[in-house]
Coordinates of all heavy atoms in Angstrom, one line a residue:
M17 N 105.5 -26.0 83.1 CA 105.1 -25.1 81.9 C 104.9 -23.7 82.4 O 104.3 -23.5 83.5 CB 103.9 -25.7 81.3 CG 103.4 -25.0 80.1 SD 102.0 -25.7 79.3 CE 102.7 -27.2 78.5
K18 N 105.3 -22.8 81.6 CA 105.1 -21.4 81.9 C 103.8 -20.9 81.3 O 103.4 -21.5 80.3 CB 106.3 -20.5 81.4 CG 107.6 -20.7 82.1 CD 108.6 -19.7 81.5 CE 110.0 -20.1 82.0 NZ 111.0 -19.6 81.0
C19 N 103.3 -19.7 81.8 CA 102.1 -19.2 81.2 C 102.3 -18.9 79.7 O 101.4 -19.2 79.0 CB 101.8 -17.8 81.9 SG 101.4 -18.0 83.7
E20 N 103.4 -18.4 79.3 CA 103.6 -18.1 77.9 C 103.5 -19.3 77.1 O 102.9 -19.3 76.0 CB 105.0 -17.5 77.7 CG 105.2 -16.1 78.3 CD 105.5 -16.1 79.7 OE1 105.6 -17.1 80.3 OE2 105.6 -15.0 80.3
E21 N 104.1 -20.4 77.6 CA 104.0 -21.7 76.9 C 102.5 -22.1 76.8 O 102.1 -22.6 75.7 CB 104.8 -22.7 77.5 CG 106.3 -22.5 77.4 CD 107.1 -23.5 78.2 OE1 107.1 -23.3 79.5 OE2 107.7 -24.4 77.6
L22 N 101.8 -22.0 77.9 CA 100.5 -22.5 77.9 C 99.6 -21.7 76.8 O 98.9 -22.3 76.1 CB 99.8 -22.3 79.2 CG 98.4 -22.9 79.2 CD1 98.4 -24.3 79.7 CD2 97.4 -22.1 79.9
L23 N 99.8 -20.4 76.8 CA 99.1 -19.6 75.8 C 99.4 -20.1 74.4 O 98.5 -20.1 73.5 CB 99.5 -18.1 75.9 CG 98.8 -17.3 77.0 CD1 99.4 -15.9 77.0 CD2 97.3 -17.3 76.8
Q24 N 100.7 -20.4 74.1 CA 101.1 -20.9 72.8 C 100.3 -22.2 72.5 O 100.0 -22.4 71.3 CB 102.6 -21.2 72.9 CG 103.3 -20.8 71.7 CD 104.8 -21.2 72.0 OE1 105.4 -20.7 73.0 NE2 105.4 -21.9 71.1
Y25 N 100.1 -23.0 73.4 CA 99.5 -24.3 73.2 C 98.0 -24.3 73.4 O 97.3 -25.3 73.1 CB 100.1 -25.4 74.1 CG 101.5 -25.7 74.0 CD1 102.4 -25.7 75.0 CD2 102.0 -26.0 72.7 CE1 103.7 -25.9 74.9 CE2 103.4 -26.3 72.5 CZ 104.2 -26.2 73.6 OH 105.5 -26.5 73.5
L26 N 97.5 -23.2 73.8 CA 96.1 -23.1 74.2 C 95.1 -23.6 73.2 O 94.2 -24.4 73.5 CB 95.7 -21.7 74.7 CG 94.5 -21.6 75.5 CD1 94.6 -22.4 76.8 CD2 94.2 -20.1 75.9
S27 N 95.3 -23.1 71.9 CA 94.3 -23.5 70.9 C 94.3 -25.0 70.6 O 93.3 -25.6 70.4 CB 94.4 -22.7 69.7 OG 95.4 -23.2 68.8
D28 N 95.5 -25.5 70.6 CA 95.6 -27.0 70.4 C 95.1 -27.8 71.6 O 94.5 -28.8 71.4 CB 97.1 -27.4 70.2 CG 97.6 -26.9 68.8 OD1 96.8 -26.7 67.9 OD2 98.8 -26.8 68.7
Y29 N 95.3 -27.2 72.8 CA 94.7 -27.8 74.0 C 93.2 -27.9 73.9 O 92.6 -28.9 74.1 CB 95.2 -27.1 75.2 CG 94.6 -27.6 76.5 CD1 95.1 -28.8 77.1 CD2 93.6 -27.0 77.1 CE1 94.6 -29.3 78.2 CE2 93.0 -27.5 78.3 CZ 93.5 -28.6 78.8 OH 93.0 -29.1 80.0
I30 N 92.6 -26.8 73.5 CA 91.1 -26.7 73.4 C 90.6 -27.7 72.3 O 89.6 -28.4 72.5 CB 90.7 -25.3 73.1 CG1 90.9 -24.4 74.4 CG2 89.2 -25.3 72.7 CD1 90.7 -23.0 74.2
D31 N 91.4 -27.8 71.3 CA 91.0 -28.7 70.2 C 91.4 -30.2 70.5 O 91.2 -31.0 69.7 CB 91.6 -28.3 68.9 CG 91.0 -27.0 68.3 OD1 89.9 -26.7 68.8 OD2 91.6 -26.3 67.5
Q32 N 92.1 -30.4 71.6 CA 92.6 -31.7 72.0 C 93.5 -32.3 71.0 O 93.4 -33.4 70.6 CB 91.4 -32.6 72.3 CG 90.5 -32.1 73.4 CD 89.3 -33.0 73.7 OE1 88.8 -33.6 72.8 NE2 89.0 -33.1 75.0
E33 N 94.4 -31.4 70.5 CA 95.3 -31.8 69.5 C 96.7 -31.9 70.0 O 97.7 -32.2 69.3 CB 95.3 -30.8 68.3 CG 94.1 -31.1 67.4 CD 93.9 -30.1 66.3 OE1 94.8 -29.2 66.2 OE2 92.9 -30.2 65.6
L34 N 96.9 -31.7 71.3 CA 98.2 -31.8 71.9 C 98.5 -33.3 72.2 O 97.6 -34.1 72.4 CB 98.2 -31.0 73.3 CG 98.3 -29.5 73.3 CD1 98.4 -29.0 74.7 CD2 99.5 -29.0 72.5
D35 N 99.8 -33.6 72.2 CA 100.1 -35.0 72.6 C 99.9 -35.1 74.1 O 99.7 -34.2 74.9 CB 101.5 -35.4 72.1 CG 102.6 -34.5 72.7 OD1 102.5 -34.1 73.9 OD2 103.6 -34.3 72.0
E36 N 100.0 -36.4 74.5 CA 99.6 -36.7 75.9 C 100.5 -35.9 77.0 O 100.0 -35.4 78.0 CB 99.8 -38.2 76.2 CG 98.6 -39.0 75.9 CD 98.8 -40.4 76.1 OE1 99.4 -40.8 77.2 OE2 98.4 -41.2 75.3
E37 N 101.7 -35.8 76.6 CA 102.7 -35.2 77.6 C 102.3 -33.7 77.8 O 102.2 -33.2 78.9 CB 104.1 -35.3 77.0 CG 105.2 -35.3 78.0 CD 106.5 -35.4 77.4 OE1 106.7 -36.3 76.6 OE2 107.4 -34.7 77.8
L38 N 102.1 -33.0 76.6 CA 101.8 -31.6 76.7 C 100.4 -31.4 77.3 O 100.2 -30.4 78.1 CB 101.9 -31.0 75.3 CG 103.3 -30.7 74.8 CD1 103.2 -30.2 73.4 CD2 103.9 -29.6 75.7
T39 N 99.5 -32.3 77.0 CA 98.2 -32.1 77.7 C 98.3 -32.2 79.2 O 97.7 -31.4 79.9 CB 97.2 -33.2 77.2 OG1 97.1 -33.1 75.7 CG2 95.8 -33.1 77.7
A40 N 99.1 -33.2 79.6 CA 99.3 -33.3 81.1 C 99.9 -32.1 81.7 O 99.5 -31.6 82.7 CB 100.1 -34.6 81.3
E41 N 100.9 -31.6 81.0 CA 101.6 -30.4 81.5 C 100.7 -29.2 81.5 O 100.7 -28.4 82.5 CB 102.8 -30.0 80.6 CG 104.0 -30.9 80.9 CD 105.2 -30.4 80.1 OE1 105.5 -29.2 80.1 OE2 105.9 -31.3 79.6
A42 N 99.9 -29.1 80.5 CA 98.9 -28.0 80.4 C 97.9 -28.1 81.6 O 97.6 -27.1 82.2 CB 98.2 -28.0 79.1
Q43 N 97.4 -29.3 81.8 CA 96.4 -29.5 82.9 C 97.0 -29.2 84.2 O 96.4 -28.6 85.1 CB 95.9 -31.0 82.8 CG 94.8 -31.1 81.8 CD 94.5 -32.6 81.5 OE1 95.2 -33.5 81.9 NE2 93.4 -32.8 80.9
E44 N 98.3 -29.6 84.4 CA 98.9 -29.3 85.6 C 99.1 -27.8 85.9 O 98.8 -27.3 86.9 CB 100.3 -30.0 85.5 CG 101.0 -30.3 86.9 CD 102.3 -31.0 86.7 OE1 102.3 -32.0 85.9 OE2 103.3 -30.5 87.2
H45 N 99.4 -27.1 84.8 CA 99.6 -25.7 84.9 C 98.2 -25.0 85.2 O 98.1 -24.2 86.1 CB 100.2 -25.1 83.6 CG 100.4 -23.6 83.7 ND1 101.5 -23.1 84.2 CD2 99.6 -22.6 83.5 CE1 101.4 -21.7 84.3 NE2 100.2 -21.4 83.8
L46 N 97.2 -25.5 84.5 CA 95.9 -24.9 84.7 C 95.3 -25.1 86.1 O 94.6 -24.3 86.6 CB 94.9 -25.5 83.6 CG 95.1 -24.9 82.2 CD1 94.5 -25.8 81.2 CD2 94.6 -23.5 82.2
A47 N 95.8 -26.2 86.7 CA 95.3 -26.6 88.0 C 95.8 -25.6 89.1 O 95.2 -25.4 90.1 CB 95.7 -28.0 88.4
T48 N 97.0 -24.9 88.7 CA 97.6 -24.1 89.7 C 97.6 -22.6 89.3 O 97.9 -21.8 90.1 CB 99.1 -24.5 89.9 OG1 99.7 -24.4 88.6 CG2 99.2 -25.9 90.5
C49 N 97.2 -22.3 88.1 CA 97.3 -20.9 87.6 C 95.9 -20.3 87.3 O 95.3 -20.7 86.3 CB 98.2 -20.8 86.4 SG 98.5 -19.1 85.9
H50 N 95.5 -19.4 88.1 CA 94.2 -18.8 88.0 C 94.1 -18.0 86.7 O 93.1 -18.1 85.9 CB 93.9 -17.9 89.2 CG 92.6 -17.2 89.0 ND1 91.3 -17.8 89.2 CD2 92.4 -15.8 88.7 CE1 90.4 -16.8 88.9 NE2 91.0 -15.7 88.7
N51 N 95.1 -17.2 86.4 CA 95.1 -16.4 85.2 C 94.9 -17.2 83.9 O 94.1 -16.9 83.1 CB 96.4 -15.7 85.0 CG 96.5 -14.4 85.8 OD1 95.4 -13.9 86.3 ND2 97.6 -13.8 86.0
C52 N 95.6 -18.3 83.8 CA 95.5 -19.1 82.6 C 94.1 -19.8 82.5 O 93.6 -20.0 81.4 CB 96.6 -20.2 82.6 SG 98.2 -19.4 82.2
R53 N 93.5 -20.1 83.7 CA 92.2 -20.7 83.6 C 91.2 -19.7 83.1 O 90.3 -20.0 82.3 CB 91.7 -21.1 85.0 CG 92.2 -22.5 85.4 CD 91.3 -23.2 86.4 NE 91.2 -22.4 87.6 CZ 92.0 -22.5 88.6 NH1 93.1 -23.3 88.5 NH2 91.9 -21.7 89.7
V54 N 91.3 -18.4 83.5 CA 90.4 -17.3 83.0 C 90.6 -17.2 81.5 O 89.6 -17.1 80.7 CB 90.8 -16.0 83.7 CG1 90.0 -14.9 83.1 CG2 90.4 -16.1 85.2
V55 N 91.8 -17.2 81.0 CA 92.1 -17.1 79.6 C 91.5 -18.3 78.9 O 90.9 -18.2 77.8 CB 93.6 -17.0 79.4 CG1 93.9 -17.1 77.9 CG2 94.2 -15.7 79.9
L56 N 91.7 -19.5 79.4 CA 91.2 -20.7 78.8 C 89.6 -20.6 78.7 O 89.1 -20.9 77.6 CB 91.5 -21.9 79.6 CG 91.0 -23.2 79.2 CD1 91.6 -23.7 77.8 CD2 91.2 -24.3 80.2
D57 N 89.0 -20.2 79.7 CA 87.5 -20.0 79.7 C 87.0 -19.1 78.6 O 86.1 -19.4 77.9 CB 87.0 -19.6 81.1 CG 87.0 -20.7 82.1 OD1 87.1 -21.9 81.6 OD2 86.8 -20.4 83.3
S58 N 87.7 -17.9 78.6 CA 87.2 -16.9 77.6 C 87.5 -17.4 76.2 O 86.7 -17.1 75.3 CB 87.7 -15.5 77.9 OG 89.1 -15.6 78.2
T59 N 88.6 -18.1 76.0 CA 88.9 -18.6 74.7 C 87.9 -19.7 74.3 O 87.4 -19.7 73.1 CB 90.3 -19.2 74.7 OG1 91.2 -18.3 75.2 CG2 90.7 -19.6 73.3
R60 N 87.6 -20.5 75.2 CA 86.6 -21.6 74.9 C 85.3 -21.0 74.6 O 84.6 -21.4 73.6 CB 86.4 -22.4 76.2 CG 87.3 -23.6 76.2 CD 86.8 -24.7 77.1 NE 87.6 -25.9 77.0 CZ 88.1 -26.5 78.1 NH1 87.9 -26.1 79.3 NH2 88.9 -27.6 77.9
Q61 N 84.9 -20.0 75.3 CA 83.6 -19.4 75.1 C 83.5 -18.8 73.7 O 82.5 -18.9 72.9 CB 83.3 -18.2 76.1 CG 82.6 -18.8 77.3 CD 82.6 -17.8 78.4 OE1 82.9 -16.6 78.2 NE2 82.4 -18.2 79.6
T62 N 84.6 -18.1 73.3 CA 84.7 -17.5 71.9 C 84.6 -18.6 70.9 O 83.8 -18.5 69.9 CB 86.0 -16.7 71.8 OG1 86.1 -15.8 72.9 CG2 86.0 -16.0 70.5
I63 N 85.3 -19.7 71.1 CA 85.2 -20.8 70.1 C 83.8 -21.4 70.0 O 83.3 -21.7 69.0 CB 86.3 -21.8 70.5 CG1 87.7 -21.2 70.2 CG2 86.1 -23.1 69.7 CD1 88.9 -22.1 70.6
F64 N 83.2 -21.5 71.2 CA 81.8 -22.1 71.2 C 80.9 -21.2 70.4 O 80.0 -21.6 69.7 CB 81.3 -22.3 72.6 CG 81.9 -23.5 73.3 CD1 82.3 -23.5 74.6 CD2 82.2 -24.7 72.5 CE1 82.8 -24.6 75.2 CE2 82.7 -25.8 73.1 CZ 83.1 -25.8 74.5
L65 N 81.0 -19.9 70.6 CA 80.2 -18.9 69.9 C 80.3 -19.1 68.4 O 79.3 -19.1 67.7 CB 80.5 -17.5 70.3 CG 80.0 -17.0 71.7 CD1 80.5 -15.6 72.0 CD2 78.5 -17.1 71.8
F66 N 81.5 -19.2 68.0 CA 81.8 -19.4 66.5 C 81.1 -20.7 66.1 O 80.5 -20.8 65.0 CB 83.3 -19.5 66.2 CG 83.9 -18.1 65.9 CD1 84.4 -17.3 66.9 CD2 83.9 -17.7 64.6 CE1 84.9 -16.1 66.6 CE2 84.5 -16.5 64.3 CZ 85.0 -15.7 65.3
R67 N 81.2 -21.7 66.9 CA 80.7 -23.0 66.5 C 79.2 -23.0 66.5 O 78.5 -23.7 65.6 CB 81.2 -24.1 67.4 CG 82.7 -24.3 67.0 CD 83.3 -25.5 67.7 NE 84.7 -25.5 67.2 CZ 85.7 -26.1 67.8 NH1 85.5 -26.8 68.9 NH2 86.9 -26.1 67.3
E68 N 78.6 -22.2 67.4 CA 77.1 -22.1 67.4 C 76.6 -21.5 66.2 O 75.5 -21.7 65.7 CB 76.7 -21.4 68.6 CG 76.4 -22.3 69.8 CD 76.1 -21.5 71.1 OE1 75.7 -20.3 71.0 OE2 76.2 -22.1 72.2
Q69 N 77.4 -20.6 65.6 CA 77.0 -19.9 64.4 C 77.2 -20.8 63.2 O 77.1 -20.4 62.0 CB 77.9 -18.6 64.2 CG 77.5 -17.6 65.2 CD 78.6 -16.4 65.2 OE1 79.4 -16.3 64.2 NE2 78.6 -15.7 66.2
G70 N 77.6 -22.1 63.4 CA 77.7 -23.0 62.3 C 79.1 -23.1 61.7 O 79.3 -23.8 60.7
K71 N 80.0 -22.3 62.3 CA 81.3 -22.4 61.8 C 82.1 -23.4 62.6 O 82.2 -23.3 63.8 CB 82.0 -21.0 61.9 CG 81.4 -20.0 61.1 CD 82.1 -18.6 61.3 CE 81.4 -17.5 60.5 NZ 80.9 -16.4 61.3
R72 N 82.6 -24.4 61.9 CA 83.3 -25.4 62.7 C 84.6 -25.0 63.3 O 84.9 -25.3 64.4 CB 83.5 -26.6 61.7 CG 83.0 -27.9 62.4 CD 83.4 -29.1 61.6 NE 84.0 -30.0 62.6 CZ 85.2 -30.4 62.5 NH1 86.0 -30.0 61.5 NH2 85.7 -31.3 63.4
N73 N 85.3 -24.2 62.5 CA 86.5 -23.6 63.0 C 86.5 -22.1 63.0 O 86.0 -21.5 62.0 CB 87.7 -24.2 62.2 CG 87.9 -25.6 62.5 OD1 88.0 -26.1 63.6 ND2 88.0 -26.4 61.4
I74 N 87.2 -21.5 63.9 CA 87.4 -20.1 63.9 C 88.4 -19.8 62.8 O 89.4 -20.5 62.7 CB 87.9 -19.6 65.2 CG1 86.9 -19.8 66.3 CG2 88.3 -18.1 65.1 CD1 87.3 -19.3 67.6
P75 N 88.1 -18.9 61.9 CA 89.1 -18.6 60.9 C 90.4 -18.2 61.5 O 90.4 -17.6 62.6 CB 88.5 -17.3 60.2 CG 87.1 -17.3 60.6 CD 86.9 -18.0 61.8
A76 N 91.5 -18.6 60.9 CA 92.8 -18.4 61.5 C 93.1 -17.0 61.9 O 93.6 -16.7 63.0 CB 93.9 -18.9 60.5
Q77 N 92.6 -16.1 61.1 CA 92.8 -14.7 61.3 C 92.1 -14.2 62.7 O 92.8 -13.6 63.5 CB 92.2 -13.8 60.2 CG 93.0 -12.6 59.8 CD 92.4 -11.8 58.7 OE1 91.5 -12.3 58.0 NE2 92.7 -10.6 58.6
S78 N 90.9 -14.6 62.8 CA 90.2 -14.3 64.1 C 90.8 -14.9 65.3 O 90.9 -14.4 66.3 CB 88.7 -14.7 64.0 OG 88.1 -14.3 62.8
R79 N 91.2 -16.1 65.0 CA 91.9 -16.9 66.1 C 93.1 -16.2 66.6 O 93.4 -16.0 67.7 CB 92.2 -18.3 65.6 CG 92.2 -19.3 66.6 CD 92.5 -20.6 65.9 NE 91.4 -21.5 65.9 CZ 91.6 -22.8 66.5 NH1 92.7 -23.2 66.9 NH2 90.5 -23.5 66.5
N80 N 93.9 -15.8 65.6 CA 95.2 -15.1 65.9 C 94.9 -13.8 66.7 O 95.6 -13.4 67.6 CB 96.0 -14.8 64.7 CG 96.6 -16.1 64.1 OD1 96.7 -17.1 64.8 ND2 97.0 -16.0 62.9
R81 N 93.9 -13.1 66.2 CA 93.5 -11.8 66.8 C 93.1 -12.1 68.3 O 93.5 -11.4 69.2 CB 92.4 -11.1 66.0 CG 92.4 -9.6 66.3 CD 91.4 -8.9 65.5 NE 91.1 -9.5 64.2 CZ 89.8 -9.7 63.7 NH1 88.8 -9.4 64.5 NH2 89.7 -10.3 62.6
L82 N 92.3 -13.1 68.4 CA 91.8 -13.5 69.8 C 93.0 -13.8 70.7 O 93.0 -13.3 71.8 CB 90.9 -14.7 69.6 CG 90.5 -15.4 70.9 CD1 89.5 -14.5 71.7 CD2 89.8 -16.7 70.6
F83 N 93.9 -14.5 70.2 CA 95.0 -14.9 71.1 C 95.9 -13.7 71.4 O 96.4 -13.7 72.5 CB 95.8 -16.1 70.5 CG 95.1 -17.4 70.6 CD1 94.7 -18.1 69.5 CD2 94.7 -17.8 71.9 CE1 94.0 -19.3 69.7 CE2 94.0 -19.0 72.1 CZ 93.7 -19.8 70.9
S84 N 96.1 -12.8 70.4 CA 97.0 -11.7 70.8 C 96.3 -10.8 71.8 O 96.9 -10.2 72.6 CB 97.4 -11.0 69.5 OG 96.4 -10.7 68.7
Q85 N 94.9 -10.7 71.7 CA 94.2 -9.9 72.7 C 94.3 -10.5 74.0 O 94.5 -9.9 75.0 CB 92.7 -9.8 72.3 CG 92.4 -8.8 71.2 CD 91.0 -8.9 70.7 OE1 90.2 -9.7 71.2 NE2 90.6 -8.0 69.8
L86 N 94.1 -11.8 74.1 CA 94.2 -12.5 75.3 C 95.6 -12.4 75.9 O 95.8 -12.2 77.1 CB 93.9 -14.0 75.1 CG 92.5 -14.4 74.9 CD1 92.4 -15.8 74.5 CD2 91.7 -14.1 76.2
Q87 N 96.6 -12.5 75.1 CA 98.0 -12.4 75.5 C 98.3 -11.1 76.1 O 98.9 -10.9 77.1 CB 98.9 -12.7 74.3 CG 100.2 -13.3 74.8 CD 100.9 -14.1 73.6 OE1 100.4 -14.0 72.5 NE2 102.0 -14.7 73.9
A88 N 97.8 -10.0 75.4 CA 98.0 -8.7 75.9 C 97.3 -8.5 77.2 O 97.9 -7.9 78.2 CB 97.5 -7.7 74.9
A89 N 96.1 -8.9 77.3 CA 95.3 -8.8 78.6 C 96.0 -9.6 79.7 O 96.1 -9.1 80.8 CB 93.9 -9.3 78.4
F90 N 96.5 -10.7 79.3 CA 97.1 -11.6 80.3 C 98.4 -11.0 80.8 O 98.7 -11.0 82.0 CB 97.4 -12.9 79.6 CG 98.0 -13.9 80.5 CD1 97.2 -14.5 81.5 CD2 99.3 -14.2 80.5 CE1 97.7 -15.5 82.3 CE2 99.9 -15.1 81.3 CZ 99.1 -15.7 82.3
L91 N 99.2 -10.5 79.9 CA 100.5 -9.9 80.3 C 100.3 -8.7 81.1 O 101.1 -8.4 82.1 CB 101.4 -9.5 79.0 CG 101.9 -10.7 78.2 CD1 102.6 -10.3 77.0 CD2 102.9 -11.6 79.1
K92 N 99.2 -7.9 80.9 CA 98.9 -6.8 81.7 C 98.6 -7.1 83.1 O 99.0 -6.5 84.1 CB 97.7 -6.0 81.1 CG 97.9 -4.5 81.0 CD 96.7 -3.8 80.6 CE 96.4 -4.0 79.1 NZ 95.0 -3.4 78.8
S93 N 97.9 -8.3 83.3 CA 97.5 -8.7 84.6 C 98.6 -9.4 85.3 O 98.5 -9.7 86.5 CB 96.3 -9.6 84.5 OG 96.6 -10.8 84.0
A94 N 99.6 -9.8 84.6 CA 100.7 -10.6 85.3 C 101.5 -9.6 86.1 O 101.7 -8.5 85.8 CB 101.6 -11.2 84.2
P95 N 102.0 -10.1 87.2 CA 102.8 -9.2 88.1 C 104.2 -8.8 87.5 O 104.7 -9.5 86.7 CB 103.1 -10.0 89.4 CG 102.7 -11.5 89.0 CD 101.9 -11.5 87.8
Ligands
LIG8 ZN1 99.6 -19.5 83.9

């Protein structure tokens, strides 16, 4: 799995909505890719913050904004 693919699946991965095969691929990638782990952590934190505020799900709009910010930051840090 490539970083771009992982980012695409990240929200489903966090929600544990990926199928087994993709989950395994994502885990494998995360085990070897520091950048993606950082992105995963910050995404998770954001999602937890929303949930602490009593919102079960991040509104799609905020979620999309979050992911595009992450993607931009991530692409900037990529070699
Ligand atoms: Zn990666």
